[in-house]
Amino acid sequence: MYIFLNDKIVPEPEAVVSVYDHGFLYGDGIYETMRAYEGVIFMLEKHLGRLGRSASFLKLRVPDEELIRRAVYQTLDANRLSDAYIRITISRGKGPVGLDPALCTEPTFVVIAEQFKPYAETLYKEGVRLIIAKTRRNLAEAINPMIKSLNFLNNIFAKMEAKERDAYEAIMLNAEGCIAEGTISNIFFIKGDILCTPSLDTGVLDGITRDLVIGLAKGAGMGVREARFYPEDIFGAAEVFFSNTTAEIMPVSKVEDAIYGAGTVTRALRDLYRERVTRYVEENRGRKG
Ligand code: PLP
């Protein structure tokens, strides 16, 4: 396996980062997760845009977009991958101990690409179990959830709760008790004929999949409501699903004790999403940066 580290492709055993890297010492850095279909990186420009936004929140100097784009495609090529999971990580870099970002002169830039491991089809057929975590989502005034940062303890605590309770994913509420998001996903539910999802001002990551799903639903003539919702709203919903780049649209069979039936709306949205991916791949085939 080959990794892009700073300015070149290296074999995985040589892709090592200093113990003085501030990403390791303080979680000072950012990342993006992407998915490639048949060699085409889905929504690459959106991911690069969000990476740039995360960087500006941290006042982190990052390589220019053109270089990142080339590095990502080079990593895919070096590993001869076409259906892949891709992660870009950029940390503050190596520097003496201390919180001041100015201690680090060069950011550390890493691209990892691995063969995409498909989720079991039974998960999509039967849906997955979710809990509502006791761990609350970070306040936007603390670590803004809009930053895809290496500081992931908030989500890790909620994921640990999910595992302890044998659930697939945990829904985090914000400090006021409104439904925010999953540990690595955005949450949707169907009520009446309306597709509901927490509004961005609830304090969530503006998922790229979330945005696509909203667009697809509106395009299909569905009503969409982005607002502040509470656990009672999801308990009374007809269908629930979560979204993210790797799982796309994943149906939910249970949230706490509330049970949801086979989701026809969820399935229809998933079909529309798959069509969108297919079209994107056709339109962008052969692009290498
Ligand atoms: N919310 C959080 C906290 C995430 O970590 C992620 C993705 O990893 C998402 C939402 C979904 O974002 P996207 O659809 O861009 O993958």
PDB file of all heavy atoms in Angstrom, residues 131-159:
ATOM      1  N   ILE A 131     -29.113   4.530  18.840  1.00  0.00           N
ATOM      2  CA  ILE A 131     -29.494   4.992  20.178  1.00  0.00           C
ATOM      3  C   ILE A 131     -29.370   6.519  20.202  1.00  0.00           C
ATOM      4  O   ILE A 131     -28.770   7.110  19.317  1.00  0.00           O
ATOM      5  CB  ILE A 131     -28.572   4.408  21.280  1.00  0.00           C
ATOM      6  CG1 ILE A 131     -27.099   4.778  20.997  1.00  0.00           C
ATOM      7  CG2 ILE A 131     -28.758   2.919  21.425  1.00  0.00           C
ATOM      8  CD1 ILE A 131     -26.253   4.874  22.223  1.00  0.00           C
ATOM      9  N   ILE A 132     -29.918   7.093  21.232  1.00  0.00           N
ATOM     10  CA  ILE A 132     -29.677   8.513  21.468  1.00  0.00           C
ATOM     11  C   ILE A 132     -28.628   8.595  22.572  1.00  0.00           C
ATOM     12  O   ILE A 132     -28.851   8.104  23.689  1.00  0.00           O
ATOM     13  CB  ILE A 132     -30.971   9.253  21.828  1.00  0.00           C
ATOM     14  CG1 ILE A 132     -31.897   9.168  20.605  1.00  0.00           C
ATOM     15  CG2 ILE A 132     -30.670  10.697  22.233  1.00  0.00           C
ATOM     16  CD1 ILE A 132     -33.106  10.013  20.617  1.00  0.00           C
ATOM     17  N   ALA A 133     -27.495   9.149  22.242  1.00  0.00           N
ATOM     18  CA  ALA A 133     -26.365   9.150  23.180  1.00  0.00           C
ATOM     19  C   ALA A 133     -26.586  10.163  24.303  1.00  0.00           C
ATOM     20  O   ALA A 133     -27.270  11.176  24.121  1.00  0.00           O
ATOM     21  CB  ALA A 133     -25.087   9.495  22.422  1.00  0.00           C
ATOM     22  N   LYS A 134     -25.971   9.863  25.437  1.00  0.00           N
ATOM     23  CA  LYS A 134     -25.974  10.843  26.544  1.00  0.00           C
ATOM     24  C   LYS A 134     -24.981  11.964  26.243  1.00  0.00           C
ATOM     25  O   LYS A 134     -25.150  13.087  26.685  1.00  0.00           O
ATOM     26  CB  LYS A 134     -25.586  10.152  27.855  1.00  0.00           C
ATOM     27  CG  LYS A 134     -26.634   9.175  28.360  1.00  0.00           C
ATOM     28  CD  LYS A 134     -26.392   8.858  29.849  1.00  0.00           C
ATOM     29  CE  LYS A 134     -27.497   7.984  30.401  1.00  0.00           C
ATOM     30  NZ  LYS A 134     -27.403   6.594  29.902  1.00  0.00           N
ATOM     31  N   THR A 135     -23.943  11.605  25.509  1.00  0.00           N
ATOM     32  CA  THR A 135     -22.932  12.615  25.116  1.00  0.00           C
ATOM     33  C   THR A 135     -23.579  13.625  24.178  1.00  0.00           C
ATOM     34  O   THR A 135     -24.165  13.246  23.169  1.00  0.00           O
ATOM     35  CB  THR A 135     -21.772  11.914  24.368  1.00  0.00           C
ATOM     36  OG1 THR A 135     -21.280  10.857  25.178  1.00  0.00           O
ATOM     37  CG2 THR A 135     -20.658  12.896  24.054  1.00  0.00           C
ATOM     38  N   ARG A 136     -23.464  14.888  24.529  1.00  0.00           N
ATOM     39  CA  ARG A 136     -24.050  15.938  23.679  1.00  0.00           C
ATOM     40  C   ARG A 136     -23.043  16.404  22.625  1.00  0.00           C
ATOM     41  O   ARG A 136     -21.835  16.351  22.855  1.00  0.00           O
ATOM     42  CB  ARG A 136     -24.477  17.139  24.535  1.00  0.00           C
ATOM     43  CG  ARG A 136     -25.598  16.826  25.537  1.00  0.00           C
ATOM     44  CD  ARG A 136     -26.920  16.632  24.821  1.00  0.00           C
ATOM     45  NE  ARG A 136     -27.951  16.102  25.708  1.00  0.00           N
ATOM     46  CZ  ARG A 136     -28.938  16.841  26.236  1.00  0.00           C
ATOM     47  NH1 ARG A 136     -29.004  18.133  25.989  1.00  0.00           N
ATOM     48  NH2 ARG A 136     -29.854  16.276  27.001  1.00  0.00           N
ATOM     49  N   ARG A 137     -23.570  16.871  21.501  1.00  0.00           N
ATOM     50  CA  ARG A 137     -22.708  17.402  20.434  1.00  0.00           C
ATOM     51  C   ARG A 137     -22.031  18.672  20.928  1.00  0.00           C
ATOM     52  O   ARG A 137     -22.625  19.444  21.687  1.00  0.00           O
ATOM     53  CB  ARG A 137     -23.555  17.703  19.185  1.00  0.00           C
ATOM     54  CG  ARG A 137     -22.736  18.019  17.935  1.00  0.00           C
ATOM     55  CD  ARG A 137     -22.049  16.794  17.431  1.00  0.00           C
ATOM     56  NE  ARG A 137     -21.291  17.004  16.199  1.00  0.00           N
ATOM     57  CZ  ARG A 137     -19.954  16.969  16.143  1.00  0.00           C
ATOM     58  NH1 ARG A 137     -19.233  16.777  17.221  1.00  0.00           N
ATOM     59  NH2 ARG A 137     -19.349  17.103  14.976  1.00  0.00           N
ATOM     60  N   ASN A 138     -20.785  18.853  20.486  1.00  0.00           N
ATOM     61  CA  ASN A 138     -20.045  20.077  20.837  1.00  0.00           C
ATOM     62  C   ASN A 138     -20.858  21.327  20.530  1.00  0.00           C
ATOM     63  O   ASN A 138     -21.504  21.415  19.484  1.00  0.00           O
ATOM     64  CB  ASN A 138     -18.782  20.179  19.976  1.00  0.00           C
ATOM     65  CG  ASN A 138     -17.672  19.277  20.453  1.00  0.00           C
ATOM     66  OD1 ASN A 138     -17.542  19.017  21.644  1.00  0.00           O
ATOM     67  ND2 ASN A 138     -16.863  18.801  19.523  1.00  0.00           N
ATOM     68  N   LEU A 139     -20.761  22.293  21.403  1.00  0.00           N
ATOM     69  CA  LEU A 139     -21.350  23.605  21.117  1.00  0.00           C
ATOM     70  C   LEU A 139     -20.593  24.254  19.958  1.00  0.00           C
ATOM     71  O   LEU A 139     -19.362  24.123  19.889  1.00  0.00           O
ATOM     72  CB  LEU A 139     -21.140  24.523  22.323  1.00  0.00           C
ATOM     73  CG  LEU A 139     -22.071  24.417  23.507  1.00  0.00           C
ATOM     74  CD1 LEU A 139     -21.581  25.353  24.605  1.00  0.00           C
ATOM     75  CD2 LEU A 139     -23.482  24.789  23.096  1.00  0.00           C
ATOM     76  N   ALA A 140     -21.320  24.951  19.115  1.00  0.00           N
ATOM     77  CA  ALA A 140     -20.644  25.659  18.013  1.00  0.00           C
ATOM     78  C   ALA A 140     -19.639  26.665  18.566  1.00  0.00           C
ATOM     79  O   ALA A 140     -18.625  26.960  17.931  1.00  0.00           O
ATOM     80  CB  ALA A 140     -21.670  26.356  17.136  1.00  0.00           C
ATOM     81  N   GLU A 141     -19.912  27.151  19.772  1.00  0.00           N
ATOM     82  CA  GLU A 141     -18.990  28.137  20.376  1.00  0.00           C
ATOM     83  C   GLU A 141     -17.791  27.451  21.037  1.00  0.00           C
ATOM     84  O   GLU A 141     -16.881  28.128  21.534  1.00  0.00           O
ATOM     85  CB  GLU A 141     -19.719  28.981  21.427  1.00  0.00           C
ATOM     86  CG  GLU A 141     -20.814  29.880  20.878  1.00  0.00           C
ATOM     87  CD  GLU A 141     -22.119  29.137  20.588  1.00  0.00           C
ATOM     88  OE1 GLU A 141     -22.223  27.928  20.918  1.00  0.00           O
ATOM     89  OE2 GLU A 141     -23.025  29.762  20.005  1.00  0.00           O
ATOM     90  N   ALA A 142     -17.815  26.098  21.108  1.00  0.00           N
ATOM     91  CA  ALA A 142     -16.665  25.371  21.675  1.00  0.00           C
ATOM     92  C   ALA A 142     -15.823  24.867  20.499  1.00  0.00           C
ATOM     93  O   ALA A 142     -14.883  25.530  20.077  1.00  0.00           O
ATOM     94  CB  ALA A 142     -17.135  24.237  22.576  1.00  0.00           C
ATOM     95  N   ILE A 143     -16.155  23.692  19.977  1.00  0.00           N
ATOM     96  CA  ILE A 143     -15.519  23.248  18.722  1.00  0.00           C
ATOM     97  C   ILE A 143     -16.652  23.135  17.711  1.00  0.00           C
ATOM     98  O   ILE A 143     -17.497  22.232  17.808  1.00  0.00           O
ATOM     99  CB  ILE A 143     -14.820  21.888  18.891  1.00  0.00           C
ATOM    100  CG1 ILE A 143     -13.724  21.987  19.969  1.00  0.00           C
ATOM    101  CG2 ILE A 143     -14.203  21.442  17.567  1.00  0.00           C
ATOM    102  CD1 ILE A 143     -13.050  20.665  20.281  1.00  0.00           C
ATOM    103  N   ASN A 144     -16.711  24.049  16.797  1.00  0.00           N
ATOM    104  CA  ASN A 144     -17.819  24.106  15.849  1.00  0.00           C
ATOM    105  C   ASN A 144     -17.928  22.792  15.058  1.00  0.00           C
ATOM    106  O   ASN A 144     -16.955  22.374  14.417  1.00  0.00           O
ATOM    107  CB  ASN A 144     -17.582  25.288  14.900  1.00  0.00           C
ATOM    108  CG  ASN A 144     -18.816  25.624  14.110  1.00  0.00           C
ATOM    109  OD1 ASN A 144     -19.627  24.755  13.814  1.00  0.00           O
ATOM    110  ND2 ASN A 144     -18.959  26.894  13.769  1.00  0.00           N
ATOM    111  N   PRO A 145     -19.110  22.128  15.110  1.00  0.00           N
ATOM    112  CA  PRO A 145     -19.267  20.875  14.349  1.00  0.00           C
ATOM    113  C   PRO A 145     -19.068  21.046  12.840  1.00  0.00           C
ATOM    114  O   PRO A 145     -18.901  20.064  12.118  1.00  0.00           O
ATOM    115  CB  PRO A 145     -20.706  20.457  14.658  1.00  0.00           C
ATOM    116  CG  PRO A 145     -21.020  21.100  15.966  1.00  0.00           C
ATOM    117  CD  PRO A 145     -20.290  22.423  15.939  1.00  0.00           C
ATOM    118  N   MET A 146     -19.061  22.283  12.365  1.00  0.00           N
ATOM    119  CA  MET A 146     -18.817  22.531  10.932  1.00  0.00           C
ATOM    120  C   MET A 146     -17.351  22.291  10.564  1.00  0.00           C
ATOM    121  O   MET A 146     -16.998  22.295   9.382  1.00  0.00           O
ATOM    122  CB  MET A 146     -19.145  23.991  10.597  1.00  0.00           C
ATOM    123  CG  MET A 146     -20.613  24.282  10.606  1.00  0.00           C
ATOM    124  SD  MET A 146     -21.230  24.164   8.929  1.00  0.00           S
ATOM    125  CE  MET A 146     -22.659  25.199   9.037  1.00  0.00           C
ATOM    126  N   ILE A 147     -16.493  22.160  11.581  1.00  0.00           N
ATOM    127  CA  ILE A 147     -15.075  21.874  11.305  1.00  0.00           C
ATOM    128  C   ILE A 147     -14.897  20.371  11.320  1.00  0.00           C
ATOM    129  O   ILE A 147     -15.235  19.713  12.312  1.00  0.00           O
ATOM    130  CB  ILE A 147     -14.150  22.475  12.393  1.00  0.00           C
ATOM    131  CG1 ILE A 147     -14.465  23.950  12.638  1.00  0.00           C
ATOM    132  CG2 ILE A 147     -12.689  22.278  12.025  1.00  0.00           C
ATOM    133  CD1 ILE A 147     -13.788  24.514  13.887  1.00  0.00           C
ATOM    134  N   LYS A 148     -14.372  19.812  10.253  1.00  0.00           N
ATOM    135  CA  LYS A 148     -14.064  18.381  10.251  1.00  0.00           C
ATOM    136  C   LYS A 148     -12.654  18.259  10.804  1.00  0.00           C
ATOM    137  O   LYS A 148     -11.668  18.230  10.068  1.00  0.00           O
ATOM    138  CB  LYS A 148     -14.184  17.829   8.820  1.00  0.00           C
ATOM    139  CG  LYS A 148     -15.016  16.561   8.771  1.00  0.00           C
ATOM    140  CD  LYS A 148     -15.347  16.177   7.372  1.00  0.00           C
ATOM    141  CE  LYS A 148     -15.291  14.684   7.157  1.00  0.00           C
ATOM    142  NZ  LYS A 148     -16.071  13.853   8.050  1.00  0.00           N
ATOM    143  N   SER A 149     -12.575  18.232  12.132  1.00  0.00           N
ATOM    144  CA  SER A 149     -11.259  18.330  12.774  1.00  0.00           C
ATOM    145  C   SER A 149     -10.787  16.987  13.310  1.00  0.00           C
ATOM    146  O   SER A 149     -11.571  16.053  13.488  1.00  0.00           O
ATOM    147  CB  SER A 149     -11.311  19.347  13.914  1.00  0.00           C
ATOM    148  OG  SER A 149     -11.690  18.729  15.118  1.00  0.00           O
ATOM    149  N   LEU A 150      -9.482  16.914  13.590  1.00  0.00           N
ATOM    150  CA  LEU A 150      -8.898  15.693  14.160  1.00  0.00           C
ATOM    151  C   LEU A 150      -9.280  15.536  15.629  1.00  0.00           C
ATOM    152  O   LEU A 150      -8.997  14.514  16.239  1.00  0.00           O
ATOM    153  CB  LEU A 150      -7.370  15.734  14.043  1.00  0.00           C
ATOM    154  CG  LEU A 150      -6.809  15.852  12.635  1.00  0.00           C
ATOM    155  CD1 LEU A 150      -5.288  15.760  12.666  1.00  0.00           C
ATOM    156  CD2 LEU A 150      -7.370  14.747  11.733  1.00  0.00           C
ATOM    157  N   ASN A 151      -9.914  16.552  16.176  1.00  0.00           N
ATOM    158  CA  ASN A 151     -10.339  16.539  17.566  1.00  0.00           C
ATOM    159  C   ASN A 151     -11.708  15.857  17.633  1.00  0.00           C
ATOM    160  O   ASN A 151     -12.740  16.517  17.613  1.00  0.00           O
ATOM    161  CB  ASN A 151     -10.436  17.994  18.023  1.00  0.00           C
ATOM    162  CG  ASN A 151     -10.194  18.108  19.488  1.00  0.00           C
ATOM    163  OD1 ASN A 151     -10.838  17.401  20.256  1.00  0.00           O
ATOM    164  ND2 ASN A 151      -9.292  18.963  19.879  1.00  0.00           N
ATOM    165  N   PHE A 152     -11.697  14.514  17.693  1.00  0.00           N
ATOM    166  CA  PHE A 152     -12.936  13.749  17.454  1.00  0.00           C
ATOM    167  C   PHE A 152     -13.484  13.075  18.705  1.00  0.00           C
ATOM    168  O   PHE A 152     -14.350  12.209  18.623  1.00  0.00           O
ATOM    169  CB  PHE A 152     -12.674  12.720  16.347  1.00  0.00           C
ATOM    170  CG  PHE A 152     -13.758  12.703  15.294  1.00  0.00           C
ATOM    171  CD1 PHE A 152     -14.121  13.868  14.635  1.00  0.00           C
ATOM    172  CD2 PHE A 152     -14.423  11.530  14.957  1.00  0.00           C
ATOM    173  CE1 PHE A 152     -15.121  13.871  13.674  1.00  0.00           C
ATOM    174  CE2 PHE A 152     -15.423  11.513  13.995  1.00  0.00           C
ATOM    175  CZ  PHE A 152     -15.770  12.692  13.364  1.00  0.00           C
ATOM    176  N   LEU A 153     -12.954  13.457  19.871  1.00  0.00           N
ATOM    177  CA  LEU A 153     -13.357  12.766  21.105  1.00  0.00           C
ATOM    178  C   LEU A 153     -14.857  12.826  21.357  1.00  0.00           C
ATOM    179  O   LEU A 153     -15.451  11.864  21.846  1.00  0.00           O
ATOM    180  CB  LEU A 153     -12.629  13.357  22.316  1.00  0.00           C
ATOM    181  CG  LEU A 153     -11.388  12.622  22.791  1.00  0.00           C
ATOM    182  CD1 LEU A 153     -10.919  13.213  24.113  1.00  0.00           C
ATOM    183  CD2 LEU A 153     -11.639  11.123  22.961  1.00  0.00           C
ATOM    184  N   ASN A 154     -15.466  13.968  21.048  1.00  0.00           N
ATOM    185  CA  ASN A 154     -16.907  14.110  21.250  1.00  0.00           C
ATOM    186  C   ASN A 154     -17.668  12.959  20.577  1.00  0.00           C
ATOM    187  O   ASN A 154     -18.474  12.253  21.195  1.00  0.00           O
ATOM    188  CB  ASN A 154     -17.331  15.477  20.685  1.00  0.00           C
ATOM    189  CG  ASN A 154     -18.801  15.786  20.829  1.00  0.00           C
ATOM    190  OD1 ASN A 154     -19.409  16.344  19.925  1.00  0.00           O
ATOM    191  ND2 ASN A 154     -19.378  15.433  21.955  1.00  0.00           N
ATOM    192  N   ASN A 155     -17.330  12.722  19.301  1.00  0.00           N
ATOM    193  CA  ASN A 155     -18.001  11.668  18.537  1.00  0.00           C
ATOM    194  C   ASN A 155     -17.577  10.280  19.019  1.00  0.00           C
ATOM    195  O   ASN A 155     -18.372   9.343  19.017  1.00  0.00           O
ATOM    196  CB  ASN A 155     -17.660  11.820  17.054  1.00  0.00           C
ATOM    197  CG  ASN A 155     -17.836  13.243  16.576  1.00  0.00           C
ATOM    198  OD1 ASN A 155     -17.319  14.175  17.194  1.00  0.00           O
ATOM    199  ND2 ASN A 155     -18.551  13.438  15.505  1.00  0.00           N
ATOM    200  N   ILE A 156     -16.320  10.146  19.451  1.00  0.00           N
ATOM    201  CA  ILE A 156     -15.826   8.847  19.933  1.00  0.00           C
ATOM    202  C   ILE A 156     -16.579   8.439  21.201  1.00  0.00           C
ATOM    203  O   ILE A 156     -16.976   7.279  21.360  1.00  0.00           O
ATOM    204  CB  ILE A 156     -14.299   8.893  20.154  1.00  0.00           C
ATOM    205  CG1 ILE A 156     -13.592   8.982  18.793  1.00  0.00           C
ATOM    206  CG2 ILE A 156     -13.797   7.673  20.941  1.00  0.00           C
ATOM    207  CD1 ILE A 156     -12.118   9.327  18.866  1.00  0.00           C
ATOM    208  N   PHE A 157     -16.833   9.403  22.094  1.00  0.00           N
ATOM    209  CA  PHE A 157     -17.616   9.089  23.309  1.00  0.00           C
ATOM    210  C   PHE A 157     -19.003   8.546  22.937  1.00  0.00           C
ATOM    211  O   PHE A 157     -19.477   7.565  23.501  1.00  0.00           O
ATOM    212  CB  PHE A 157     -17.774  10.322  24.193  1.00  0.00           C
ATOM    213  CG  PHE A 157     -16.527  10.712  24.937  1.00  0.00           C
ATOM    214  CD1 PHE A 157     -16.291  12.046  25.264  1.00  0.00           C
ATOM    215  CD2 PHE A 157     -15.584   9.769  25.319  1.00  0.00           C
ATOM    216  CE1 PHE A 157     -15.135  12.416  25.957  1.00  0.00           C
ATOM    217  CE2 PHE A 157     -14.434  10.137  26.009  1.00  0.00           C
ATOM    218  CZ  PHE A 157     -14.211  11.461  26.334  1.00  0.00           C
ATOM    219  N   ALA A 158     -19.633   9.192  21.963  1.00  0.00           N
ATOM    220  CA  ALA A 158     -20.976   8.761  21.554  1.00  0.00           C
ATOM    221  C   ALA A 158     -20.907   7.388  20.872  1.00  0.00           C
ATOM    222  O   ALA A 158     -21.777   6.535  21.078  1.00  0.00           O
ATOM    223  CB  ALA A 158     -21.608   9.796  20.634  1.00  0.00           C
ATOM    224  N   LYS A 159     -19.875   7.163  20.081  1.00  0.00           N
ATOM    225  CA  LYS A 159     -19.698   5.861  19.418  1.00  0.00           C
ATOM    226  C   LYS A 159     -19.503   4.759  20.468  1.00  0.00           C
ATOM    227  O   LYS A 159     -20.037   3.649  20.324  1.00  0.00           O
ATOM    228  CB  LYS A 159     -18.472   5.935  18.487  1.00  0.00           C
ATOM    229  CG  LYS A 159     -18.124   4.651  17.790  1.00  0.00           C
ATOM    230  CD  LYS A 159     -19.153   4.284  16.748  1.00  0.00           C
ATOM    231  CE  LYS A 159     -18.853   2.956  16.098  1.00  0.00           C
ATOM    232  NZ  LYS A 159     -19.890   2.569  15.127  1.00  0.00           N
TER     233      LYS A 159
END
